[in-house]
Amino acid sequence: MKEDLQLHLHEQVSQIHGRDTSLVFFDVTNYYFESDLENDLKQVGVSKEKRTTPIVQMSLAIDRAGLPVGYDLFSGNNHDSTMLIPALENMKNRYNLGRIILTADKALNSGKNLAFLVENNDGYIVSQKVRGASKTFIKEILKEEGYVYNSTKTFKIKSFFRERKTKNEKGEEIILKEKIVSCWSADYEAREKHKREKL
């Protein structure tokens, strides 16, 4: 009954409150069980809480107002990156969704997923670590030119554009045109330094 119930709730929210799905935000997460027993859905996988008990993967879409539109479940041994394309295709068809903006961390940030979004006129806001990136990218991030500081010099931010090549599901090369937003915070730097010293 999961899909029928979600569709019914979606229709009720649309009728009673009005639902704006012209822009939808999407992400995935997982949750764990206090049990060692596995089944088709509950499988041992990479847990966000670093647990070794079975987990279930869940994708969730929310509308402009932050209200859930729908969710899909995947077995816990699926990697986050493999859920994006089937979940989005299912939700777009089921709820007649408009443009989707993926908001995610590095787990969904694969070239294939980003190419899928761009080819479907969707978008993404994803985080990326500077460590391990290309030398050109790191050089641009570390260049002081373009940064704007707050009045106390405890935060700075800049943005720039870049193009990079990736491959879609068919193995075809495509170019991603991206706006990069880079920021630095004294509080964040102090917190990370404290974590490193603790380790």
Side-chain angles (χ1 to χ4, degrees):
M1 289 177 55
K2 176 178 88 67
E3 295 207 0
D4 289 340
L5 181 58
Q6 286 185 73
L7 188 55
H8 172 73
L9 292 171
H10 169 67
E11 289 167 352
Q12 291 300 304
V13 169
S14 300
Q15 287 174 15
I16 296 168
H17 298 287
R19 166 93 83 182
D20 184 356
T21 56
S22 60
L23 180 64
V24 173
F25 297 90
F26 178 89
D27 199 0
V28 299
T29 190
N30 58 51
Y31 52 95
Y32 65 90
F33 294 84
E34 296 290 349
S35 167
D36 292 330
L37 301 176
E38 294 181 278
N39 61 27
D40 290 343
L41 198 57
K42 294 188 299 185
Q43 297 281 325
V44 173
V46 180
S47 165
K48 299 202 185 294
E49 288 86 13
K50 311 283 188 252
R51 292 178 176 266
T52 56
T53 56
I55 60 173
V56 168
Q57 303 279 25
M58 182 181 83
S59 64
L60 175 70
I62 62 172
D63 65 14
R64 279 183 182 266
L67 295 173
V69 175
Y71 72 94
D72 278 313
L73 299 176
F74 298 86
S75 68
N77 59 359
N78 282 328
H79 188 271
D80 287 5
S81 63
T82 64
M83 294 181 284
L84 178 83
I85 294 172
L88 283 185
E89 287 177 332
N90 184 22
M91 286 189 191
K92 266 199 159 185
N93 293 332
R94 195 175 354 154
Y95 302 113
N96 193 26
L97 301 179
R99 188 163 192 247
I100 290 178
I101 303 295
L102 170 72
T103 53
D105 57 14
K106 63 188 180 300
L108 293 177
N109 191 358
S110 75
K112 190 194 317 182
N113 284 343
L114 301 183
F116 172 80
L117 291 163
V118 169
E119 289 178 329
N120 285 283
N121 198 33
D122 293 321
Y124 54 89
I125 301 169
V126 293
S127 64
Q128 177 181 343
K129 284 186 177 180
V130 175
R131 186 182 299 141
S134 72
K135 288 181 182 176
T136 310
F137 183 71
I138 293 171
K139 186 178 176 184
E140 185 61 39
I141 294 289
L142 296 177
K143 192 166 44 173
E144 190 60 31
E145 182 187 325
Y147 276 105
V148 177
Y149 283 85
N150 65 355
S151 60
T152 57
K153 299 276 189 191
T154 57
F155 180 84
K156 66 180 178 178
I157 188 167
K158 79 171 174 177
S159 65
F160 58 94
F161 291 92
R162 76 167 176 182
E163 291 186 357
R164 66 182 172 117
K165 294 177 185 174
T166 190
K167 292 191 177 177
N168 64 14
E169 282 187 292
K170 299 173 193 163
E172 301 164 336
E173 192 172 272
I174 73 157
I175 304 240
L176 299 175
K177 296 177 181 178
E178 301 175 319
K179 180 178 185 180
I180 306 298
V181 178
S182 171
C183 60
W184 167 86
S185 157
D187 289 343
Y188 185 78
E189 182 178 308
R191 187 181 84 182
E192 292 302 301
K193 184 180 179 188
H194 177 71
K195 278 185 186 176
R196 287 190 304 272
E197 286 170 354
K198 235 175 146 181
L199 285 172

